[in-house]
Amino acid sequence: MRADRLVAALLFLQTRQRVTAAELAAELDVSERTARRDLEALASSGIPVYSQAGQGGGWSLVGGARTDLTGLTAPEIRALFLLTGPDTDADPQTRTALRKLVRALPATLREGAEAAARAGISDGTDWAGTETEEAQLAPLQRAVIDAREVRIGYARPGREPHERTVQPLGIAAKSGVR
């Protein structure tokens, strides 16, 4: 989507002093021509972006202009990055979202967010190698997000277990029990 690319281009410009169309194209995984059109679109929309030709040239934001697209507070940002941690197995959408968020942050908040992301590691198993409750709930959480039906095993106390097809609306916790 073009609007998504324009925001990503603006955030990339904010993190660098100057970028070439080739650098932006590589970052956004588009052609140089598309990257150049996106930069020109930013400039024509009123974003203070200008180009400089020649050796050492490229595209820059006038006077280091910045925009805070997140509206998040420092504690909210830390909480998000603590939740996700340095999860290299995260899906592509999560990695892309976190990369955009880091770029959107002012420099004063960026360092804290990156430190929070490195602060912990989530392993879905206990010390004996058994899957934890959180790891077992991950497929159910994905089903809630994707609005999919799932088959679950269900047993009432004192009765034989059986399977049910459910349409989960959410996962509730009360006093730490889910």
Side-chain angles (χ1 to χ4, degrees), residues 9-143:
L10 176 59
L11 296 176
F12 190 63
L13 278 168
Q14 287 183 167
T15 61
R16 310 272 302 269
Q17 293 293 321
R18 183 170 308 209
V19 299
T20 64
E23 290 170 332
L24 183 62
E27 176 68 19
L28 300 180
D29 198 27
V30 296
S31 70
E32 272 189 61
R33 183 179 172 122
T34 298
R36 202 170 284 109
R37 277 195 306 258
D38 287 350
L39 289 163
E40 289 167 356
L42 284 173
S44 67
S45 69
I47 306 286
V49 177
Y50 73 96
S51 65
Q52 184 176 2
Q55 181 88 9
W59 293 79
S60 302
L61 288 168
V62 175
R66 296 205 52 83
T67 181
D68 180 7
L69 298 174
T70 66
L72 297 171
T73 65
E76 292 168 337
I77 292 165
R78 275 193 305 278
L80 280 174
F81 281 89
L82 278 170
L83 282 173
T84 56
D87 189 359
T88 56
D89 295 334
D91 58 56
Q93 294 86 357
T94 302
R95 287 193 307 267
T96 300
L98 291 174
R99 187 176 69 230
K100 287 177 182 177
L101 181 57
V102 167
R103 287 192 189 130
L105 297 174
T108 55
L109 298 176
R110 193 176 308 130
E111 187 176 311
E114 290 170 342
R118 293 187 306 267
I121 295 175
S122 177
D123 181 0
T125 59
D126 62 16
W127 292 108
T130 309
E131 252 189 3
T132 61
E133 180 181 319
E134 285 78 18
Q136 294 169 352
L137 286 176
L140 187 56
Q141 289 171 325
R142 177 58 54 201

